[in-house]
Amino acid sequence: MAPPARCFDTINGATDNGAVPVQVLVDAPQSPKVLDPDEFRRQGHEVIDFIADYYGRMGDYPVHPSVKPGFLRDVLPTDAPSRPEPDAFSSALQDVRDLILPGMTHWQSPRHFAHFPASTSTVGALGEALTAGFNVVPFTWAASPAATELEMVVVDWLGKALHLPESLLFAGGGGGTLLGTSCEAMLSAIVAARDQKIEQVGGNRISDLVVYCSDQTHFAFSKAARIAGIQRDHCREIQTCHENMFALSPKALQAAIQADVDAGLIPLFLCATIGTTQTTAVDPVGELCAVAAPHGVWVHVDAAYAGSALVCEEFRHLIDGVASVDSFSMNTHKWLLANIDCCAMWVKKPSALIAALGTEPEYILKDAAASTKEGDDVVDYKDWSITLTRRFRALKMWLVLRCYGLDGLRDHVRSDVRMADAFETMVKADPRFEVVTDRKFALVCFRLRPPPHKFGGEKTANDLNRALLDEINAVRSGPYMSSAMVGGMYILRCAIGSKLTLDRHVKDAWEVVQDRASSLLRKMETIYSLRH
C-alpha cells in the first residue's frame, strides 16, 4: 500500500491533513550489532585460543579449588553494566581467566578421579558451537526438518553401535531421542507407563501405583517418581548386599511385587541399572524382566555411565535380556566424547510416550506432512519428552561419530578401563588396602584397612577412610577423589575418564594415596601407644 501523499512534518511538527503529530526521536541509540560476522570472527578466534590454552595448561590448575562461599560475588559488581566498556569481550575473558577459573572444579583435569567423566572433545565442543550458532528450535519436524531427521539417524546409529535390540530402534518399530539428562529420560518413561496403566485400571487408582528400584539406584529416579505423582512411600528401594556386589536381586524384586499385589496395590515401573553411581553394580536385566512381565510392569534400564561401554564387544553380555525392556537410556556426555548435555533414550513403543506427552492443539509451524499419508513417519519430538523447546543435540553427536568413528570410541573406553585395571592392581598389591567391589568398568572402589585387633571395628575403619579422603583431596596438585557409603562401608572411589589422563597421572595418584595412608596410620599407632 502506498504511503499517504501528505504526512507529519517531523522537522517542524506541522501537519496539514489533520493527522495527530507523532514525536520522532532524532538521536535514538542504535541497537548493538549482535550478529555482526566480522566481530563474531574476531571474538570467536579469541575464544578458541582461550579454550585451547586452557586445555594446554590444565595440569597447572588444582583440580578442586580451595575457595569459600562468596569468593566471586564479593569481587564482581552488584549491578550489570548499563553500557559496555571498551573492548568488553576481551576484558570479560580476562576476568574469566583471573576470577572464574581459580574457583572452578576442573572436570577435564587429568587428575580428576572423583566423578564419572563429563567427557568432552574438540569435535564435541565445535559441534556445540555450530548448534549455538544455528540456534534452531526443533520441537516439530517442520520447525527444523533436518534437525529432526538427523536426530532420528543418530539415535539409530548409536543404538546399533551399542547393540541394542532392533525393537528399540526406528528401524524396528521403536525409536529414540536425545534429551538433556537421564533424569529427563526416567521422568518421561514413568509418565508414559503411568498413563498406559491408568488407561487400564482407571484414573482413580493413581494412588495405588508402585515403582521399584534398588537402594543403589540414582536418587533421580525417586525424584522423577514423585514428580509423576507416585506417592513417596510407594517407591520401593530394594536392599542390596555386598555378597551380590550390590546388584538388584530378582528374588527380592519378586517378593516386593508380590507383597504389593497382595496388599491390593498396582506394580507399575522398574528401574534397572547398568553401572550404578556408587559402585557400578550391574542389575541382571533379563532375570528382572522375567519377574516384572507377569505383572505388566514397565522396565526401564538406566545405563547413564556404563552404557557407553557397550560399544565394546567385551561388555555386551552385561545387557543380556535387554530385548524385553520397554525403554533404555544412557548419557553420551559421560563417556562417549559428546559434551554436556546429551542423553540418548530409546523406547519400544513411541506411541506410549506420545499418548502421555503429546500436545493436541495446532501449533505454529505444525508440519503439513503430518496430516497426509506421507506424514506417517513424521516425528515431532515435542511429543517425546517433558519440554517443548529443545536443543539440536544431534549435530554434535553426529560429528563425534563421524570424526572419531566407532573404533575411536572403543579405543577411548578401553584406554580408561586399562588404566583403571592398573590402579586396581596397585591397590591389591598393598596389603593395607582392599578392593571392595569387583571392578567392571573404569571405577575402582577401595578402602584402607585398619591394622587388625587394634583400633576397633567398622566405625573406626569408616572414620579412617574419611580422614584419608580428606588428606588426599587436600593435596593441591591432586588427585581429586570421592567416596560412597555402601553396605555400611565408607569407601573411596577412583573414577578414570578424562581424555587428558595418562598412565603417569594414575601412578602419581596411587603414590599420593599410599603416602597419606602411611601418615594416618603412623598417627593412629602413636595415639594407640599413648593410650596403652
Side-chain angles (χ1 to χ4, degrees):
M1 181 171 121
R6 299 177 185 179
C7 59
F8 176 58
D9 186 335
T10 57
I11 304 299
N12 299 314
T15 177
D16 60 1
N17 64 355
V20 178
V22 178
Q23 185 178 0
V24 176
L25 298 176
V26 177
D27 295 321
Q30 297 296 307
S31 174
K33 294 182 179 180
V34 296
L35 291 180
D36 182 270
D38 293 331
E39 188 70 355
F40 179 66
R41 184 174 287 108
R42 182 184 69 81
Q43 293 174 346
H45 282 299
E46 285 188 70
V47 170
I48 293 296
D49 287 343
F50 187 98
I51 297 173
D53 289 343
Y54 174 66
Y55 289 156
R57 294 186 53 205
M58 187 72 72
D60 297 339
Y61 295 103
V63 188
H64 190 63
S66 55
V67 295
K68 296 180 179 179
F71 80 98
L72 188 58
R73 288 172 290 165
D74 291 343
V75 297
L76 292 178
T78 55
D79 298 300
S82 58
R83 296 286 183 196
E85 60 192 290
D87 202 11
F89 192 79
S90 296
S91 177
L93 278 184
Q94 187 63 47
D95 281 348
V96 172
R97 180 181 292 108
D98 297 342
L99 303 178
I100 295 176
L101 283 185
M104 287 175 56
T105 296
H106 300 282
W107 282 66
Q108 308 310 319
S109 170
R111 300 186 302 275
H112 188 296
F113 304 114
H115 307 102
F116 291 144
S119 71
T120 189
S121 62
T122 54
V123 169
L126 293 173
E128 278 287 301
L130 275 174
T131 299
F134 295 150
N135 206 37
V136 299
V137 188
F139 64 99
T140 64
W141 179 89
S144 191
T148 295
E149 297 202 10
L150 186 62
E151 186 164 340
M152 296 172 70
V153 169
V154 164
V155 290
D156 264 17
W157 276 12
L158 189 58
K160 292 174 184 176
L162 302 180
H163 284 252
L164 296 182
E166 193 173 70
S167 58
L168 289 174
L169 310 182
F170 281 110
T177 183
L178 297 178
L179 307 172
T181 68
S182 291
C183 309
E184 295 176 56
M186 290 175 182
L187 179 55
S188 298
I190 293 174
V191 169
R194 179 201 67 192
D195 282 15
Q196 183 174 267
K197 184 67 72 173
I198 284 176
E199 185 71 21
Q200 300 168 6
V201 301
N204 62 323
R205 299 207 63 190
I206 188 172
S207 61
D208 293 330
L209 301 179
V210 185
V211 298
Y212 304 86
C213 64
S214 84
D215 59 1
Q216 301 300 304
T217 303
H218 196 280
F219 63 81
F221 175 67
S222 59
K223 180 177 181 178
R226 292 200 304 272
I227 295 172
I230 306 301
Q231 295 189 27
R232 287 176 182 264
D233 61 349
H234 283 188
C235 184
R236 305 282 185 253
E237 295 186 357
I238 300 170
Q239 187 173 354
T240 59
C241 62
H242 189 199
E243 291 73 19
N244 201 28
M245 289 295 128
F246 303 106
L248 177 56
S249 161
K251 184 177 180 180
L253 174 66
Q254 174 66 62
I257 290 178
Q258 191 58 54
D260 286 328
V261 170
D262 293 343
L265 301 176
I266 303 172
L268 172 70
F269 193 98
L270 166 67
C271 182
T273 306
I274 304 296
T276 59
T277 300
Q278 306 266 65
T279 65
T280 65
V282 173
D283 293 337
V285 174
E287 296 174 60
L288 294 173
C289 286
V291 171
H295 303 279
V297 171
W298 181 299
V299 179
H300 175 78
V301 172
D302 172 27
Y305 162 66
S308 299
L310 299 176
V311 298
C312 302
E313 184 177 356
E314 59 269 28
F315 293 109
R316 290 173 193 156
H317 68 281
L318 297 176
I319 57 168
D320 286 348
V322 73
S324 299
V325 308
D326 297 281
S327 53
F328 185 102
S329 65
M330 52 83 65
N331 291 341
T332 65
H333 64 241
K334 273 191 165 64
W335 211 2
L336 281 190
L337 306 182
N339 300 39
I340 288 176
D341 54 15
C342 194
C343 167
M345 175 187 180
W346 294 267
V347 290
K348 186 174 291 183
K349 290 174 55 180
S351 59
L353 274 184
I354 296 168
L357 302 170
T359 52
E360 293 298 329
E362 291 291 318
Y363 274 84
I364 296 171
L365 295 182
K366 177 69 177 177
D367 45 279
S371 61
T372 70
K373 187 174 181 180
E374 290 76 16
D376 291 345
D377 294 329
V378 167
V379 169
D380 288 340
Y381 272 125
K382 69 178 177 61
D383 298 332
W384 286 55
S385 63
I386 306 302
T387 64
L388 297 180
T389 300
R390 59 198 315 275
R391 303 178 64 238
F392 184 12
R393 298 181 180 93
L395 185 57
K396 66 181 172 188
M397 193 67 240
W398 179 68
L399 285 171
V400 166
L401 289 168
R402 285 195 61 174
C403 295
Y404 298 115
L406 296 181
D407 284 343
L409 297 179
R410 292 181 187 113
D411 291 344
H412 163 58
V413 169
R414 285 169 175 155
S415 175
D416 290 345
V417 171
R418 179 187 57 76
M419 286 188 284
D421 178 71
F423 186 87
E424 180 185 45
T425 299
M426 289 185 283
V427 173
K428 289 180 175 179
D430 189 330
R432 300 176 301 173
F433 291 84
E434 66 174 331
V435 175
V436 177
T437 59
D438 296 338
R439 183 191 55 77
K440 292 182 176 65
F441 306 102
L443 171 71
V444 180
C445 297
F446 68 103
R447 68 172 184 166
L448 177 62
R449 289 191 267 221
H453 313 303
K454 275 189 178 181
F455 304 126
E458 200 63 49
K459 182 182 183 304
T460 300
N462 289 344
D463 291 343
L464 177 63
N465 281 280
R466 284 191 185 92
L468 176 58
L469 182 63
D470 289 343
E471 292 270 345
I472 293 168
N473 288 343
V475 177
R476 181 173 173 79
S477 61
Y480 181 44
M481 295 185 182
S482 62
S483 65
M485 179 69 79
V486 289
M489 295 180 291
Y490 185 94
I491 63 174
L492 276 63
R493 300 171 72 259
C494 177
I496 296 172
S498 169
K499 277 300 291 177
L500 298 174
T501 300
L502 302 173
D503 292 276
R504 62 182 175 86
H505 298 116
V506 176
K507 183 174 182 295
D508 291 346
W510 175 239
E511 289 177 354
V512 169
V513 172
Q514 286 185 304
D515 177 71
R516 296 295 83 204
S518 296
S519 176
L520 274 175
L521 290 174
R522 283 195 298 269
K523 291 177 184 177
M524 290 189 72
E525 287 284 359
T526 300
I527 293 172
Y528 180 81
S529 63
L530 290 175
R531 288 178 178 175
H532 297 80

